[in-house]
Amino acid sequence: MTAQMKSLFPDELLEGIETSGVIAVLILENADDAVPVARSLLDGGVQAMELTLRTPSALESLRQIRLHVPEMLAGVGTILRPEQVDQVRDAGAAFGVSPGTSVGVVQQAIRTQLPFAPGVMTPTDIETAVALGCRELKFFPAEPSGGLKMLASLYAPFAHLGVKFIPLGGINPSNLSQYLSSPSVLAVGGSWLVSAKHLKTGNWTAITETAAEAIQIVRQRQDVGQE
């Protein structure tokens, strides 16, 4: 029987992500919003977030969070080129994520010891990621790709390796519990946790409330799993 793979993520980081259950995925246009949004998420119980590299302020936002809200597990997504791995690592990212599986990006993440979860959507994607040494994988886009039924089919041939998925795309409070009930899921990524409207208006209370609602679903699911 094939042994389970070793994770690229330290045990403490994995435990933190699994305990949070959800990872807030967001695009920050203004680095001044980074600290208040991170604190708002933490106040609601969300302990992990992914800042996407889609704006010039992403890395500065990460630096501000690492400096002022060090208890937040702040990672970076949309890492598309190997040189971005170095930038993200230097800025203090707890982990990295990409929408697909780029051999060069994953190899650079391993070289720099950045815990990394590449994006997968097909068995070939998973085989490529596993061959590179990745055990935690981002299932993206989750709902458009077939949702939980697709995830169950993808998981079956690789479950014995210990692979775990972080689904993202089309997930919200209405289907969060179902995703968390899957043995294949480490945590769920969610862009709904920080809406563009709440960011624009600085409605940190609303972000905290949204986070708390998600965490309530997470805790209910975790309690069921322990019964």
Side-chain angles (χ1 to χ4, degrees), residues 52-56 58-59 76-90 96-112 114 116-119:
T52 59
L53 276 184
R54 302 184 195 181
T55 67
L59 291 178
V76 172
T78 322
I79 300 175
L80 303 176
R81 303 188 305 275
E83 61 268 23
Q84 290 178 315
V85 173
D86 299 315
Q87 297 167 359
V88 164
R89 184 69 177 176
D90 291 345
V97 182
S98 59
T101 299
S102 163
V103 172
V105 168
V106 174
Q107 289 176 335
Q108 185 62 13
I110 291 173
R111 276 193 290 267
T112 60
L114 176 70
F116 200 82

Side-chain angles (χ1 to χ4, degrees), residues 20-217:
S20 182
V22 288
I23 301 172
V25 180
L26 59 152
I27 302 170
L28 285 183
E29 301 284 352
N30 188 343
D32 290 341
D33 293 333
V35 171
V37 77
R39 286 176 174 158
S40 299
L41 288 167
L42 274 178
D43 287 345
V46 173
Q47 303 171 36
M49 64 191 299
E50 174 195 325
L51 296 163
T52 59
L53 276 184
R54 302 184 195 181
T55 67
S57 64
L59 291 178
E60 179 57 27
S61 296
L62 173 63
R63 294 186 190 99
Q64 291 300 315
I65 292 169
R66 296 294 296 146
L67 180 63
H68 298 289
V69 198
E71 60 271 37
M72 171 61 77
L73 301 176
V76 172
T78 322
I79 300 175
L80 303 176
R81 303 188 305 275
E83 61 268 23
Q84 290 178 315
V85 173
D86 299 315
Q87 297 167 359
V88 164
R89 184 69 177 176
D90 291 345
F95 59 91
V97 182
S98 59
T101 299
S102 163
V103 172
V105 168
V106 174
Q107 289 176 335
Q108 185 62 13
I110 291 173
R111 276 193 290 267
T112 60
Q113 297 184 325
L114 176 70
F116 200 82
V120 298
M121 194 179 68
T122 69
T124 300
D125 293 340
I126 298 173
E127 288 182 6
T128 300
V130 165
L132 290 167
C134 299
R135 193 183 75 177
E136 284 70 40
L137 310 170
K138 171 182 174 180
F139 177 44
F140 176 81
E143 282 292 288
S145 299
L148 277 168
K149 288 182 67 176
M150 181 63 171
L151 182 58
S153 296
L154 289 173
Y155 179 56
F158 303 99
H160 64 289
L161 299 178
V163 298
K164 290 289 184 179
F165 294 90
I166 302 171
L168 170 65
I171 303 175
N172 53 56
S174 68
N175 57 12
L176 174 59
S177 181
Q178 289 93 326
Y179 272 91
L180 291 172
S181 69
S182 170
S184 67
V185 171
L186 173 67
V188 170
S191 57
W192 89 90
L193 290 159
V194 180
S195 74
K197 176 183 177 181
H198 293 156
L199 267 180
K200 185 176 181 179
T201 59
N203 194 340
W204 314 124
T205 299
I207 292 173
T208 295
E209 290 173 350
T210 302
E213 290 169 359
I215 291 300
Q216 183 177 14
I217 296 171

